[in-house]
Amino acid sequence: MIKKAEFVMSNSQVAKCPKEPLPEYAFIGRSNVGKSSLINMLTNQKNLAKTSARPGKTQLINHFKINDQWFLVDLPGYGYARVSKTTKKTFQKFITNYFEQRKQLVCAFVLVDIRHEPQKIDLEFMQWLGENAVPFAIVFTKADKLKPLAIERNIATYQEILLKSWEAMPPYFITSAENYVGKEELVGYIEDINKTLKNN
C-alpha cells in the first residue's frame, strides 16, 4: 500500500538521478496513454504527476519516492515525434540511456491503451527491452472505456502477437485510473518484488 509519495527530482541526465540504492520502477508508454492519471491513482494523489490534454507533456525523468522504500520513475512518452526507421530514434536518447545505465532499475511498466489494437511502436519498444534484458510488465490502461469481452479480446490479440517472438506473455495488468481498477494488483506486484529483493 502506498502511504507516502513525494516528488524528488526531474532531469534529463541519468548520471544526475538519485544516488540512493533504492529499487526503481519505471513507467513509460506512448504519449496520451494515461500515464500521469495512472501514477496519481496508484499514489492516491490528484496532482503528483501532471496530467495534460497535450500529449508529450512529460519531457524529463521524474523520480517520486514511495513509502521511503522505492522510487516510481515517470519517463517521457515515446512516439509523439514522428516514428523514424530505427527504434532508437523513436524515443528520446536519454530514455535509452536510462534503461541501459540505471543499475537501480528493477522493472519497467509499459503502458498500453487497451482500446487500440497492438501498435508497432509499443511492440518495437517491448522487443528493445527484451533484447536489452530489461524486465518489464504490460499495464493496459483505460479499461473503463471497454466492455469486459472487448478487453479479453484485445488482450488475446496482444498475446497472439507477442507469443510469436516471446516464449511467454510478460506479466500484465488491466487498469483504470477512473475506477481504481488494477491498483491493488499493481502495487502488490511491486511490493512482492521488493520483499524478494530484501530477502536476497
Side-chain angles (χ1 to χ4, degrees), residues 1-13:
M1 199 170 128
I2 294 179
K3 291 174 183 156
K4 184 180 169 191
E6 55 186 330
F7 171 74
V8 176
M9 64 164 67
S10 289
N11 66 76
S12 61
Q13 292 178 33

Side-chain angles (χ1 to χ4, degrees), residues 99-129:
F99 283 114
E100 287 175 344
Q101 298 168 20
R102 193 69 175 151
K103 301 273 191 286
Q104 289 93 325
L105 177 70
V106 175
C107 180
F109 290 101
V110 181
L111 276 59
V112 171
D113 189 330
I114 191 116
R115 297 173 299 175
H116 307 308
E117 58 186 47
Q119 304 287 308
K120 185 167 182 269
I121 189 168
D122 292 327
L123 297 168
E124 280 180 355
F125 182 59
M126 291 178 203
Q127 192 66 34
W128 184 86
L129 289 174

Side-chain angles (χ1 to χ4, degrees), residues 8-191:
V8 176
M9 64 164 67
S10 289
N11 66 76
S12 61
Q13 292 178 33
V14 181
K16 290 184 179 168
C17 285
K19 299 284 182 277
E20 292 170 87
L22 296 174
E24 286 186 2
Y25 296 85
F27 285 71
I28 189 166
R30 268 182 314 135
S31 306
N32 234 3
V33 74
K35 180 162 53 72
S36 299
S37 301
L38 180 84
I39 290 170
N40 291 336
M41 181 265 276
L42 292 175
T43 57
N44 298 316
Q45 295 199 27
K46 280 204 171 76
N47 313 323
L48 189 70
K50 302 283 183 283
T51 53
S52 164
R54 198 175 88 228
K57 191 84 174 78
T58 312
Q59 293 300 344
L60 295 163
I61 303 169
N62 296 304
H63 274 78
F64 301 97
K65 193 188 273 188
I66 309 296
N67 295 344
D68 293 323
Q69 292 171 342
W70 54 278
F71 280 114
L72 186 159
V73 185
D74 180 10
L75 291 172
Y78 52 80
Y80 185 53
R82 245 181 246 134
V83 180
S84 53
K85 288 197 174 125
T86 59
T87 313
K88 272 242 164 122
K89 286 180 192 158
T90 306
F91 39 99
Q92 294 89 326
K93 185 79 186 107
F94 64 80
I95 302 178
T96 323
N97 289 345
Y98 173 83
F99 283 114
E100 287 175 344
Q101 298 168 20
R102 193 69 175 151
K103 301 273 191 286
Q104 289 93 325
L105 177 70
V106 175
C107 180
F109 290 101
V110 181
L111 276 59
V112 171
D113 189 330
I114 191 116
R115 297 173 299 175
H116 307 308
E117 58 186 47
Q119 304 287 308
K120 185 167 182 269
I121 189 168
D122 292 327
L123 297 168
E124 280 180 355
F125 182 59
M126 291 178 203
Q127 192 66 34
W128 184 86
L129 289 174
E131 285 165 6
N132 287 273
V134 178
F136 74 93
I138 302 170
V139 178
F140 292 104
T141 62
K142 307 190 182 184
D144 55 289
K145 306 278 193 286
L146 287 183
K147 293 195 164 71
L149 275 175
I151 289 173
E152 277 178 35
R153 195 167 56 238
N154 289 6
I155 288 173
T157 307
Y158 251 95
Q159 282 177 319
E160 197 180 319
I161 291 172
L162 286 170
L163 291 175
K164 284 177 186 167
S165 50
W166 296 80
E167 284 180 16
M169 177 79 172
Y172 66 89
F173 301 88
I174 298 162
T175 68
S176 160
E178 288 288 311
N179 304 337
Y180 287 76
V181 169
K183 179 179 175 177
E184 284 180 21
E185 290 82 354
L186 197 46
V187 174
Y189 181 73
I190 291 171
E191 287 174 345

